């Protein structure tokens, strides 16, 4: 058994930097290289691909990356673990075997399957979705690596499982090694989104060397502790802030549920061990939940939109006129018609763009006719018959299909987690025998406000970093401070009511507040902010990526002692 295993990541989403695989393989020593290609929206995209051609459904980018780098990975003795198999891990494994033969290399390829529940969705009480994929754990990956796989292709596993699997194989962890598995879950969560752990999307980006960011590496130890780092000489930084930010990304409360262990985020200790080296220790693991989460995507209808430019004076009156004219002229009203007036304009502007606002109209319906050409033509036909200065940002189109995401849950005993080894033998992977009913995290109220002395109105971001993202139709926004005093103030000041005041879009929504004192952090989950998810695209920022930065920009009374 080794004392440390180095696990790198070269992809945080389908469309991430193509060259990252080669950069990670050539940049320094690695034992494993992971690649995360799947997201809720990606599963919908792959599902539509599969409808057109059943032989597709996987991330074709990964196959192109392997054409350039498979021989290099084998030469460096770096095993690759990826969820690029998407809806068709078998198809990608076959394509990889064909590629290996074409390249004249001997690559041992395994694939993990069983997550696709589409054919059984009805009997499992999941409806009739376009895609239904259970989030599998890491032990199928472990089995494949233990049997000598050079590449392990999976479908929908949890993002952290891409890291847990290699660590479990290297250290021969079993289901009862809850603390080590939890540590690997935490490390996997940090590196799963690629350069977000090395300075990408980082609130204090002006304080670190940006540019061509390096991708992250987790050095795992047998007890589950880790060091997050990156290859020497690459851009960005790995510090307490970049790691804390990523730990807050797309999470809910202190318990981070995974199929092999529930990791306690509130147990984690971070230490800056050296330049670009952050140690993660003391992770505590609890039994995993009985059920597996299922990603469900449904085609919901056709969507179209029109964006009207309003310039100069009487912006609201112009918007009201066009809205009235447009709705009156529509041959058939779509089932959903949403209007948003975005006021970019300013008085006495120096440029025409600064004098203009955008009136945004989105239409949805299951009938393509109602949101297709007749919808677009109605907008265009008003060009010379409406308000002065009428213009469109672009000609509206014919509309396009859209989908909605929702989570489902199914008992892990009903999911056939399988791994097909390099020799073609398929092995069943049993779920954890420790599974139990999950313990729900309670909301944490803010502590009593203390006297912090004189204050001055400044942006909240002067003392707090933030990271936000989507959780289906909900959004999370985590905030963290860089000193104990600043955290104590932030914790007492930023109540749920205060958050709703600062983010009026959340005023009428259910908001949960969770404290993570070890990280000097607070995490909020805003239920329903994103409608039915990113694919429905109901919001200016459909994945809530900028929500945290909006919150940081709000002016609040900050104690002068922090200046």
């Amino acid at each position: 058994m080794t004392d440390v295993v180095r696990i790198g990541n070269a992809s945080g989403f389908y469309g991430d930097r193509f060259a990252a695989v080669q950069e990670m393989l050539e940049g320094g020593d690695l034992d494993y290289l992971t690649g995360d290609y799947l997201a809720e929206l990606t599963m919908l995209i792959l599902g539509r691909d599969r409808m057109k051609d059943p032989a597709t459904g996987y991330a074709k980018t990964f196959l192109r990356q392997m054409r350039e780098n498979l021989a290099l990975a084998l030469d460096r003795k770096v095993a690759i673990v990826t969820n690029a198999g998407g809806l068709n891990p078998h198809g990608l494994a076959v394509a990889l075997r064909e590629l290996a033969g074409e390249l004249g290399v001997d690559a041992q390829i395994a694939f993990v399957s069983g997550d696709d529940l589409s054919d059984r969705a009805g009997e499992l009480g999941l409806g009739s979705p376009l895609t239904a994929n259970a989030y599998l754990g890491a032990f199928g990956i472990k089995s494949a690596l233990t049997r000598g796989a050079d590449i392990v292709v999976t479908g929908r596993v949890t993002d952290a499982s891409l890291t847990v699997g290699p660590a479990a194989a290297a250290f021969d962890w079993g289901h009862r090694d809850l603390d080590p598995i939890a540590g690997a879950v935490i490390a996997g969560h940090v590196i799963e989104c690629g350069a977000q752990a090395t300075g990408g999307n980082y609130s204090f980006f002006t304080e670190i060397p940006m540019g061509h960011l390096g991708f992250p590496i987790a050095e795992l130890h047998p007890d589950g502790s880790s060091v997050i780092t990156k290859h020497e000489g690459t851009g960005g930084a790995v510090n307490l802030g970049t790691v804390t930010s990523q730990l807050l990304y797309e999470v809910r409360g202190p318990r981070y549920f995974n199929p092999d262990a529930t990791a306690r985020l509130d147990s984690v200790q971070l230490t800056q061990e050296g330049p670009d080296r952050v140690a993660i220790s003391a992770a505590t693991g609890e039994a995993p939940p009985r059920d597996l989460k299922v990603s469900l995507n449904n085609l919901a209808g056709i969507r179209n939109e029109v964006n009207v430019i309003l310039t100069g004076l009487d912006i609201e009156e112009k918007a009201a006129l066009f809205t009235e004219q447009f709705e009156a002229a529509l041959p058939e009203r779509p089932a959903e018609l949403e209007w948003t007036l975005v006021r970019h304009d300013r008085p006495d502007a120096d440029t025409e763009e600064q004098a203009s606002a955008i009136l945004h109209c989105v239409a949805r319906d299951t009938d393509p006719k109602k949101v297709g050409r007749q919808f677009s033509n109605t907008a265009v036909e008003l060009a010379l018959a409406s308000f002065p200065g009428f213009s469109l940002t672009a000609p509206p189109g014919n509309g396009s299909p859209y989908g909605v995401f929702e989570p489902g849950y199914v008992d892990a005993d009903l999911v056939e987690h399988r791994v097909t080894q390099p020799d073609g033998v398929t092995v069943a992977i049993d779920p954890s025998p420790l599974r139990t009913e999950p313990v729900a995290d309670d909301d944490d109220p803010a502590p009593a406000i203390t006297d912090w002395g004189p204050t001055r109105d400044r942006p909240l971001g002067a003392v707090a970093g933030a990271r936000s993202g989507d959780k289906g139709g909900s959004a999370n926004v985590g905030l963290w401070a860089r000193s104990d005093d600043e955290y104590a103030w932030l914790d007492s000041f930023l109540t749920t009511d205060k958050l709703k005041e600062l983010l009026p879009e959340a005023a009428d929504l259910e908001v949960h507040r969770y404290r993570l004192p070890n990280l000097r952090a607070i995490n909020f989950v805003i239920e329903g902010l994103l409608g039915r998810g990113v694919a429905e695209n109901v919001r200016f920022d459909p994945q809530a990526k900028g929500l945290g930065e909006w919150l940081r920009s709000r002016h609040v009374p900050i104690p002068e002692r922090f200046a």
Side-chain angles (χ1 to χ4, degrees):
M1 183 182 296
T2 183
D3 292 330
V4 62
V5 61
R6 285 171 57 90
I7 305 171
N9 172 277
S11 177
F13 67 100
Y14 193 3
D16 210 342
R17 188 194 307 166
F18 185 89
V21 171
Q22 182 173 344
E23 292 172 4
M24 290 298 286
L25 290 172
E26 294 181 340
D29 291 336
L30 291 176
D31 298 298
Y32 300 93
L33 182 62
T34 66
D36 180 8
Y37 292 77
L38 301 184
E40 293 162 0
L41 180 61
T42 312
M43 301 302 284
L44 177 64
I45 293 170
L46 294 178
R48 290 172 57 186
D49 288 348
R50 188 174 62 176
M51 287 178 64
K52 300 174 184 176
D53 182 359
T56 61
Y58 57 78
K60 298 175 184 177
T61 298
F62 177 75
L63 191 60
R64 298 201 309 272
Q65 288 171 314
M66 288 300 97
R67 177 172 292 279
E68 298 184 8
N69 296 288
L70 178 54
L72 176 61
L74 294 171
D75 183 62
R76 295 291 183 97
K77 293 182 172 54
V78 177
I80 295 176
V81 180
T82 177
N83 61 16
L87 301 178
N88 190 5
H90 180 213
L92 179 54
V94 170
L96 286 167
R97 292 189 185 109
E98 293 173 350
L99 175 62
E102 183 182 335
L103 297 176
V105 297
D106 180 18
Q108 300 297 304
I109 298 165
F111 68 92
V112 175
S113 59
D115 61 294
D116 192 343
L117 306 179
S118 300
D119 293 340
R120 303 168 54 209
E123 68 180 78
L124 294 172
L126 301 173
S128 303
L130 172 65
T131 67
N133 295 82
Y135 287 79
L136 301 180
F139 278 81
I141 297 170
K142 175 194 173 184
S143 176
L145 293 171
T146 302
R147 291 281 289 271
D150 299 308
I151 302 179
V152 183
V153 173
T154 78
R156 179 73 276 187
V157 299
T158 68
D159 298 344
S161 291
L162 299 175
T163 297
V164 178
F171 303 127
D172 195 26
W173 292 336
H175 287 296
R176 297 188 181 279
D177 294 309
L178 291 177
D179 287 350
I181 291 173
V185 166
I186 296 295
H189 180 56
V190 172
I191 71 171
E192 70 190 32
C193 288
Q196 279 196 170
T198 60
N201 292 333
Y202 180 52
S203 293
F204 302 108
F205 69 97
T206 59
E207 300 176 5
I208 63 176
M210 295 293 286
H212 193 75
L213 301 188
F215 275 62
I217 299 166
E219 297 177 352
L220 266 296
H221 300 278
D223 64 353
S225 64
S226 64
V227 172
I228 306 301
T229 185
K230 61 187 183 69
H231 284 321
E232 188 175 352
T234 58
V238 178
N239 59 36
L240 294 177
T242 65
V243 173
T244 299
S245 290
Q246 183 54 28
L247 282 173
L248 297 174
Y249 183 60
E250 295 183 347
V251 297
R252 293 187 68 91
R255 288 179 170 86
Y256 188 51
F257 297 111
N258 261 252
D260 303 311
T262 297
R264 293 294 300 255
L265 293 171
D266 54 354
S267 68
V268 171
Q269 300 282 350
L270 302 182
T271 306
Q272 189 77 47
E273 190 179 79
D276 294 321
R277 293 182 63 82
V278 171
I280 303 177
S281 61
T284 297
E286 297 176 344
R290 183 175 303 281
D291 293 343
L292 297 180
K293 183 179 177 181
V294 183
S295 170
L296 301 171
N297 282 287
N298 292 275
L299 288 177
I302 306 296
R303 179 184 182 278
N304 205 349
E305 64 181 85
V306 59
N307 294 294
V308 185
I309 302 174
L310 316 168
T311 304
L313 305 176
D314 306 318
I315 294 294
E316 293 187 1
E317 291 78 6
K318 290 172 179 174
L321 173 60
F322 180 79
T323 300
E324 180 182 354
Q325 289 180 307
F326 183 80
E327 292 195 6
L330 277 172
E332 297 177 274
R333 184 182 178 88
E336 298 179 60
L337 202 62
E338 297 181 4
W339 295 90
T340 305
L341 178 60
V342 183
R343 298 297 301 265
H344 297 299
D345 58 300
R346 65 184 68 174
D348 194 24
D350 293 331
T351 68
E352 183 176 343
E353 185 173 4
Q354 292 175 342
S356 299
I358 300 292
L359 179 62
H360 185 56
C361 179
V362 176
R364 301 182 194 84
D365 203 294
T366 55
D367 184 351
K369 180 182 176 184
K370 293 183 181 180
V371 292
R373 182 47 57 186
Q374 69 178 24
F375 173 86
S376 300
N377 287 347
T378 299
V380 174
E381 288 170 0
L382 287 169
L384 304 182
S386 190
F387 60 85
F390 180 99
S391 181
L392 299 172
T393 58
N398 295 322
S400 58
Y402 76 95
V404 294
F405 165 86
E406 62 179 348
Y409 296 89
V410 63
D411 192 312
D413 286 329
L414 302 177
V415 178
E416 300 173 359
H417 185 176
R418 302 181 299 271
V419 55
T420 301
Q421 305 288 10
D423 58 8
V425 175
T426 298
V427 179
I429 303 299
D430 293 329
S432 170
L434 307 178
R435 292 175 300 123
T436 185
E437 293 302 320
V439 177
D441 291 312
D442 295 327
D443 289 14
D444 287 313
I449 296 177
T450 57
D451 183 7
W452 292 91
T455 62
R456 178 161 54 94
D457 279 359
R458 300 168 63 200
L460 179 60
V463 295
R467 178 65 58 81
S468 57
D470 59 321
K471 296 290 290 181
S474 301
N476 95 291
V477 53
L479 296 103
W480 53 276
R482 296 196 280 187
S483 74
D484 291 340
D485 278 355
E486 288 174 334
Y487 173 65
W489 169 80
L490 179 68
D491 191 18
S492 63
F493 172 79
L494 197 56
T495 64
T496 298
D497 288 341
K498 178 59 69 173
L499 179 90
K500 291 184 174 185
E501 177 187 325
L502 296 174
L503 301 181
E505 294 177 16
D508 298 324
L509 300 175
E510 182 180 359
V511 176
H512 300 283
R513 183 185 194 272
Y514 305 104
R515 300 175 68 247
L516 297 167
N518 283 9
L519 302 176
R520 299 194 190 107
I522 312 166
N523 189 49
F524 293 92
V525 177
I526 306 172
E527 305 287 0
L529 181 69
L530 307 179
R532 291 182 290 176
V534 58
E536 189 185 37
N537 198 18
V538 298
R539 196 174 175 274
F540 168 70
D541 176 18
Q543 290 182 285
K545 300 298 186 184
L547 185 66
E549 289 303 297
W550 174 29
L551 181 57
R552 292 182 70 241
S553 74
R554 299 307 308 267
H555 283 231
V556 299
I558 294 177
E560 290 186 356
R561 61 193 285 187
F562 299 148

